[in-house]
Amino acid sequence: MPSRLGTTPSYGTSFLAGNSRDGYFATAASSRRQAGSDDGDPDAPSVDERLQQAAMESLHRFQTCMGELDRKLLGFSNAVRQLGSSVGILSSALRLRERLTQLAWLFHENAAALFPLCVPHQPKEALVAPHGGLPRRKRARAKTPFHFHRPLVYRNLGLEDFPEQFGLLARDVVAFLSRLNEFPEFTDEALNGSIIAFEGDLKYWSSCLKVYRGQFGYPSVQRYLHDLLSEISGHIEAINSSLSTFVDIGVPTIRFAQSHGTTNLLNLTTIATFFSAVTATTLQFSFGSHDNMLENAVNGFWFTSMVFSIAAAVNSLLGLTWRQAMYRSPSHRVPWWILIWIKRSPLVFLVLSIMCFSVGLVLFAYSSQQSSVVSAVTTIFTAFSSFGLVVVSTWFALERLTFSRHKGEKWLEDSLDDLWDAVASLPPFQQVDELSSSVAQWLLSASKRVYTAAKDVCASALALLPHRRTPETLLFPSPPPTPPMPTGSRFALAVRTVMMARSGAETHVPRLGRWTSSPQPEPDEDHRGESQGSSRVAELVPKLNVLAPVQELAVHQKLVRHLQFSPDGRFLATASWDRTSVIFDTETSFEHHKVLHLSGSCSQVAWSPDGSLILTKLLRSIKIWTQAGILLKNVERHRLVQSLCWSPDGQAFMSVEGNEVTKLDLAGQALDTYSFDHLEIHDVGVTSDSQRLVGVGTLTSSIDGLVPSKSRTEKQIVVYNLDRKAVESRVPILHDIRDITLARTGDLALVSYESETSPQLWKLDMWRSRAANAPSTARLRLLQTYMPDSPADFVGVSYFGGKDDELVLCASKSGDIHIWHRNSGALLHHVHAQSLGGGDLTCVAWNSSATEPFMLATGYHDGTVRVWAGPPELARSTHSDSGSLSTPSRWAPTYLHPDVDLHTESPVVPQAESAETPRRGRATLHIESREGDDISGGRRATAFPAAARASDTSLPPAPS
């Protein structure tokens, strides 16, 4: 099944043409238009469409990078084909292209399984010959180099082959890098680093995916594979950039080095051929003379010289041919004696030929009865030239020996200096050194005395001259004085200088204007009356619209890390880094109930199911308190405590400590321990039947002990069976997981992530195997992803809220609060509260028992706790208008912050506009305030009874 990256239309941008609303996340069709843009435009993309669009952009980026890498590898193959010993790199590049093609096809099939209406499956028949091709006869005649062949998908691949394909790609990438490093003339550290990091991550992914064998058809695993596209794209982009640099710089460098060696061999061949001709010519004068021993010696040396010169010429041609061959073995794969013969023998033979010829020439001068002068001159100059030849050859040999021993750390001169110092340290040489030093000092002082006497004589002679001029004035006479500039010229020059400076100062530099997005059109009034949800959603929106900060509790000196209402809603507990935890009574307008003094920073509080006990988590200890603030037990732990959660019966609780979860009773005794291999648990929750534990954590290493080189570490959501002490199912996640919250029914899990990743709702489905007496197992299934209307940096834990956990809320660091409908995923309410201390919000908590009105609390970095609620009369009137009964409120909220611009955004539901129903828009609250009573500890809680007035809405006055 051939498939060429970057050329097949289905691998391009045609995938982005899909406009389906089905696929990536299972979201109810009735909520797609409720989560549109800020202005309620029905044509705005829904949550499902926005998620699919982001996923399609990731797929398109991956396919673009893969196509670019295929083209870079093809261009790289064309460039290195001109180099010697290039067959290895060409073969590895072709295998790498084939492997990348197969992996791209697998990711395409994975995307087609996730988005069946956006990405079509690639038919195998189209992959065989997607562009037709030449007729068989013409195709048989075409003889192209093997590295031009098109990569083929020749195997019956499936999604289960992902681990194997990752491992094979890691092997091919390493093979490509090894072949690349076989060129010693150039080393690219950037390309080596990019490929090594890619290989490490590929092995890590291959090892991690082995755990999910048989589960690659599950949407959760397919989503994880699709999320890996961004990581792989980053690696491929780095390799593309480094590969371009190698082609532009490395290949010419290697080509120059190889051509330089080839030129040397070619020159050596020419010299050896010429010298053999010279030797043969001179041999004509002596080969007939063999009467005495001297004449025989001349013939012997010249014959030997001619043999060596011919051997030098032939070996040079052989080395030249070997260097230029693309199929030759690299140098480190050739036996050392063959490598020496090919590279070193031509020069050695030429030197020996020259030396034999020189000796024969000297003997020929004596054997031919030349004059004594001619014989002496020939002997002297031959000895001199031979001495130089021997010295230079020895120097070259010693340089080679020095390099092989010190690998470039020392030069030959440094080695000779070390040798001389070692010899000079011997006793006989020390005396010679001292004598030579004294002689040198005497000569230096004598030269100084001679120089001083000569200087005095010269000075006396110069004094007798009539016109004394120094040598400096003779060589460099001073220039004539410059005449003064007239006054008018100086004035004109000053005016010209000022004008030029002014013109330079007035040079206009275009200013960068402020970038603003295009204005959003105002919502049409006709769309306000359209139906956008169920009747229950219509009841919730008015209650959420009137949420406002009603009380501020300044009881902490440092950051508020966690908040939690008791199950009955009567108390609010806080956890702060100022080593205190405070319990407030919600029935007495949040008067100061009790301050729990701790021995360290508190990061979590946890109420028992019946609300009678509360846990506070410190670094290595857990404290058990009563509702009245009495310390019952201090449980010391030997490991860091990550989080706490109660068992449904309230008789025990779970302590998360690294890769273990310990079950403790109220006396602090360990009842059981549950271990998780290669997984560091962050947070857990126990199902309502106390049979399973659902947790989130980070993988410390794969099953093979591997860790990622550059990519993000895999995270997991696991379902652990407490009876069998085994993991029933796990879901791989690429994003950073923070916490998990279970609904009161126990079958829904709300997962919170770090930074801009939206919260997700997962469902625990029970599955039973067809085998007899097979136990049922739990499997996680993604229900919703709660998207904000604009990018948000979420903070703290996501919570369920409302009646029967029908709401989901999460806060951002900027102070915004997002509230979604749990089942539909529609964003019901979005509060922009930058002027209410926004920018340092740390946590949020919902009071599940408060329904008339709703109530929530937010904690801030400065230690402040704010309580949010709505006017009870408005909530009751709105509730009664919808045909439901209302319940009286326990307390009367009072509004905060005079002249606050509180921007709330909620989808509009079908309802009649009245004075009791606020309209959507920007509301300015004008509030009269007074200070509240002091509370213990010197801290002050401020409450403001108010009558809210809005610029475009009418709110009833708050009850006094």
Side-chain angles (χ1 to χ4, degrees):
M1 294 179 290
S3 173
R4 184 179 183 82
L5 294 175
T7 58
T8 306
S10 60
Y11 274 67
T13 58
S14 61
F15 291 156
L16 301 177
N19 195 21
S20 172
R21 301 178 186 177
D22 302 329
Y24 197 43
F25 295 105
T27 305
S30 60
S31 66
R32 287 175 181 167
R33 291 306 181 190
Q34 294 180 10
S37 62
D38 296 344
D39 54 4
D41 186 2
D43 296 329
S46 65
V47 174
D48 232 8
E49 292 170 345
R50 282 188 289 170
L51 292 172
Q52 290 186 22
Q53 183 180 3
M56 290 297 98
E57 290 176 355
S58 178
L59 178 62
H60 176 62
R61 178 194 174 196
F62 169 76
Q63 292 171 342
T64 303
C65 293
M66 294 290 279
E68 183 68 19
L69 180 57
D70 184 76
R71 289 189 292 270
K72 290 290 180 62
L73 287 174
L74 182 59
F76 174 81
S77 300
N78 294 331
V80 301
R81 180 177 170 79
Q82 307 171 13
L83 304 178
S85 186
S86 60
V87 65
I89 192 65
L90 292 176
S91 177
S92 61
L94 178 61
R95 288 198 303 269
L96 182 59
R97 292 175 59 201
E98 291 176 350
R99 191 69 59 195
L100 290 172
T101 303
Q102 296 176 16
L103 190 64
W105 185 82
L106 279 178
F107 275 111
H108 171 79
E109 291 300 303
N110 182 74
L114 274 176
F115 319 106
L117 299 182
C118 296
V119 182
H121 285 278
Q122 189 75 18
K124 296 180 180 179
E125 292 77 10
L127 291 177
V128 176
H131 297 292
L134 297 175
R136 180 172 299 180
R137 293 182 179 178
K138 294 183 178 180
R139 194 165 57 245
R141 294 177 182 176
K143 295 182 179 180
T144 57
F146 70 94
H147 68 275
F148 282 98
H149 292 175
R150 181 191 198 123
L152 304 177
V153 181
Y154 54 88
R155 295 179 51 189
N156 293 326
L157 298 177
L159 299 183
E160 295 291 336
D161 295 325
F162 262 109
E164 179 186 1
Q165 289 298 316
F166 276 136
L168 293 177
L169 180 58
R171 184 197 65 185
D172 293 339
V173 165
V174 172
F176 178 77
L177 181 61
S178 300
R179 298 295 181 268
L180 203 63
N181 290 331
E182 288 176 351
F183 294 98
E185 296 85 0
F186 183 81
T187 302
D188 192 346
E189 295 294 339
L191 184 57
N192 287 354
S194 301
I195 293 180
I196 291 175
F198 190 33
E199 180 244 348
D201 287 343
L202 286 173
K203 289 183 177 179
Y204 174 76
W205 296 329
S206 176
S207 180
C208 291
L209 291 175
K210 293 177 182 178
V211 181
Y212 308 101
R213 184 75 66 181
Q215 304 179 21
F216 287 92
Y218 295 171
S220 58
V221 180
Q222 292 174 353
R223 274 189 294 271
Y224 174 73
L225 290 172
H226 192 83
D227 291 338
L228 289 180
L229 291 179
S230 60
E231 304 292 326
I232 298 177
S233 299
H235 280 292
I236 294 178
E237 288 177 351
I239 294 176
N240 283 337
S241 177
S242 301
L243 199 59
S244 299
T245 304
F246 190 89
V247 173
D248 296 338
I249 300 177
V251 173
T253 303
I254 297 173
R255 186 184 299 116
F256 172 78
Q258 292 186 354
S259 63
H260 179 71
T262 303
T263 303
N264 291 338
L265 287 177
L266 187 61
N267 295 334
L268 194 61
T269 302
T270 303
I271 295 174
T273 304
F274 173 76
F275 197 77
S276 62
V278 172
T279 304
T281 302
T282 55
L283 192 59
Q284 295 177 2
F285 299 97
S286 64
F287 77 97
S289 301
H290 43 76
D291 296 335
N292 52 40
M293 185 179 298
L294 192 59
E295 292 178 351
N296 291 332
V298 171
N299 291 332
F301 277 107
W302 280 357
F303 274 112
T304 304
S305 174
M306 188 169 63
V307 170
F308 280 139
S309 61
I310 294 175
V314 173
N315 286 341
S316 298
L317 290 175
L318 182 62
L320 179 63
T321 306
W322 182 79
R323 282 178 176 271
Q324 293 179 342
M326 63 174 294
Y327 52 81
R328 71 172 175 87
S329 301
S331 299
H332 66 280
R333 297 296 184 90
V334 180
W336 63 271
W337 58 275
I338 295 181
L339 194 64
I340 291 178
W341 185 269
I342 293 175
K343 291 186 175 181
R344 308 303 176 191
S345 64
L347 183 60
V348 173
F349 287 161
L350 183 59
V351 171
L352 293 177
S353 176
I354 294 174
M355 293 181 64
C356 291
F357 181 82
S358 300
V359 173
L361 185 61
V362 172
L363 296 178
F364 181 76
Y366 288 98
S367 65
S368 59
Q369 302 298 326
Q370 300 293 329
S371 64
S372 59
V373 176
V374 173
S375 300
V377 170
T378 303
T379 303
I380 292 173
F381 283 107
T382 300
F384 180 77
S385 61
S386 299
F387 175 77
L389 181 62
V390 171
V391 170
V392 173
S393 300
T394 305
W395 181 269
F396 285 168
L398 292 177
E399 283 184 337
R400 179 65 182 177
L401 180 62
T402 304
F403 171 76
S404 61
R405 177 171 297 183
H406 299 286
K407 303 300 181 182
E409 296 180 357
K410 289 185 178 181
W411 298 106
L412 177 58
E413 184 181 3
D414 299 331
S415 300
L416 294 179
D417 291 340
D418 296 340
L419 179 62
W420 174 256
D421 294 337
V423 172
S425 61
L426 298 176
F429 293 96
Q430 289 182 353
Q431 298 176 1
V432 176
D433 186 33
E434 294 176 358
L435 180 61
S436 61
S437 299
S438 60
V439 172
Q441 292 179 359
W442 182 82
L443 292 176
L444 180 61
S445 60
S447 62
K448 287 183 178 180
R449 289 194 298 270
V450 171
Y451 173 75
T452 303
K455 185 177 179 181
D456 294 339
V457 171
C458 293
S460 302
L462 290 175
L464 299 176
L465 296 176
H467 301 285
R468 180 182 177 185
R469 301 185 65 181
T470 61
E472 290 80 3
T473 57
L474 292 174
L475 294 176
F476 306 103
S478 59
T482 304
M485 183 179 294
T487 305
S489 300
R490 285 185 293 177
F491 178 76
L493 179 61
V495 171
R496 189 180 301 109
T497 304
V498 171
M499 293 179 64
M500 292 178 63
R502 181 175 300 178
S503 62
E506 293 177 354
T507 302
H508 177 68
V509 178
R511 306 175 95 184
L512 295 177
R514 183 186 297 272
W515 182 85
T516 57
S517 59
S518 57
Q520 298 291 339
E522 292 295 329
D524 191 358
E525 294 294 336
D526 296 337
H527 295 303
R528 295 182 182 271
E530 295 179 359
S531 176
Q532 297 190 17
S534 62
S535 59
R536 183 56 184 164
V537 175
E539 296 176 12
L540 293 174
V541 171
K543 297 181 182 181
L544 298 175
N545 280 342
V546 297
L547 282 176
V550 297
Q551 201 152 3
E552 182 175 298
L553 310 173
V555 293
H556 291 292
Q557 302 297 331
K558 293 184 180 180
L559 177 144
V560 179
R561 186 63 182 87
H562 190 237
L563 299 169
Q564 191 179 53
F565 284 94
S566 60
D568 58 0
R570 180 181 175 184
F571 299 103
L572 170 65
T574 65
S576 174
W577 285 358
D578 63 356
R579 300 191 175 189
T580 62
S581 178
V582 183
I583 302 177
F584 296 97
D585 191 346
T586 62
E587 294 185 346
T588 58
S589 299
F590 289 86
E591 289 185 356
H592 205 173
H593 180 64
K594 187 64 178 177
V595 177
L596 311 180
H597 295 280
L598 308 173
S599 57
S601 299
C602 183
S603 57
Q604 184 185 0
V605 291
W607 288 96
S608 62
D610 58 359
S612 60
L613 300 176
I614 184 173
L615 302 175
T616 56
K617 182 184 78 68
L618 280 71
L619 193 62
R620 295 180 183 268
S621 63
I622 305 168
K623 296 182 182 295
I624 306 176
W625 307 79
T626 64
Q627 190 183 82
I630 300 175
L631 179 63
L632 296 180
K633 186 67 176 178
N634 182 22
V635 183
E636 296 290 340
R637 305 301 299 166
H638 299 290
R639 303 179 64 181
L640 294 177
V641 181
Q642 298 290 339
S643 63
L644 302 171
C645 78
W646 284 90
S647 60
D649 57 5
Q651 299 301 316
F653 58 91
M654 303 291 181
S655 174
V656 179
E657 303 170 1
N659 64 338
E660 293 182 350
V661 177
T662 305
K663 185 177 181 180
L664 304 170
D665 59 10
L666 299 181
Q669 300 297 323
L671 301 178
D672 209 340
T673 301
Y674 312 102
S675 299
F676 297 82
D677 295 334
H678 308 285
L679 189 65
E680 182 180 357
I681 303 297
H682 301 320
D683 193 16
V684 296
V686 183
T687 57
S688 57
D689 57 2
S690 300
Q691 293 184 358
R692 291 172 177 83
L693 183 147
V694 185
V696 295
T698 300
L699 207 65
T700 56
S701 64
S702 67
I703 58 176
D704 299 325
L706 301 178
V707 295
S709 299
K710 186 178 178 181
S711 69
R712 290 174 286 181
T713 308
E714 178 183 324
K715 291 82 180 176
Q716 291 182 357
I717 309 175
V718 295
V719 180
Y720 188 89
N721 192 299
L722 298 177
D723 296 333
R724 298 197 298 266
K725 290 189 176 182
V727 176
E728 287 188 343
S729 65
R730 64 183 79 218
V731 174
I733 300 293
L734 192 60
H735 305 289
D736 294 330
I737 298 180
R738 180 189 296 118
D739 302 284
I740 188 170
T741 304
L742 296 184
R744 282 174 284 188
T745 58
D747 61 343
L748 295 176
L750 184 62
V751 179
S752 306
Y753 297 92
E754 294 282 353
S755 302
E756 297 183 359
T757 307
S758 302
Q760 289 182 337
L761 182 67
W762 294 80
K763 177 74 165 57
L764 270 75
D765 295 328
M766 303 307 299
W767 295 80
R768 185 181 296 275
S769 176
R770 295 181 180 180
N773 300 326
S776 59
T777 58
R779 185 183 301 171
L780 289 168
R781 175 169 55 93
L782 182 62
L783 292 181
Q784 292 291 344
T785 297
Y786 301 102
M787 297 289 294
D789 51 1
S790 59
D793 191 2
F794 293 107
V795 64
V797 187
S798 303
Y799 284 99
F800 291 105
K803 182 180 179 181
D804 299 329
D805 294 337
E806 60 185 346
L807 300 176
V808 171
L809 73 154
C810 190
S812 64
K813 291 183 180 179
S814 61
D816 296 355
I817 302 176
H818 302 78
I819 303 178
W820 297 272
H821 189 246
R822 188 194 71 185
N823 294 334
S824 65
L827 181 61
L828 302 181
H829 194 54
H830 181 191
V831 179
H832 298 272
Q834 289 85 355
S835 57
L836 295 178
D840 58 355
L841 193 149
T842 56
C843 54
V844 63
W846 183 277
N847 190 349
S848 300
S849 64
T851 57
E852 302 295 343
F854 288 149
M855 182 193 302
L856 60 94
T858 54
Y860 294 85
H861 195 278
D862 59 357
T864 303
V865 177
R866 291 191 178 94
V867 182
W868 296 64
E873 285 80 1
L874 178 59
R876 285 197 294 271
S877 64
T878 307
H879 196 79
S880 60
D881 291 341
S882 61
S884 303
L885 297 177
S886 61
T887 58
S889 177
R890 293 180 178 176
W891 64 285
T894 53
Y895 294 90
L896 286 177
H897 297 280
D899 298 329
V900 166
D901 186 14
L902 181 63
H903 185 195
T904 63
E905 294 181 357
S906 299
V908 181
V909 297
Q911 60 180 358
E913 295 183 358
S914 61
E916 291 79 15
T917 304
R919 295 176 60 189
R920 181 178 176 275
R922 299 183 62 87
T924 304
L925 303 181
H926 303 278
I927 301 169
E928 301 175 358
S929 63
R930 64 177 177 84
E931 290 190 356
D933 298 330
D934 290 342
I935 59 178
S936 62
R939 302 182 179 93
R940 185 177 299 275
T942 308
F944 302 93
R949 300 289 185 266
S951 59
D952 61 346
T953 184
S954 299
L955 297 177
S960 58

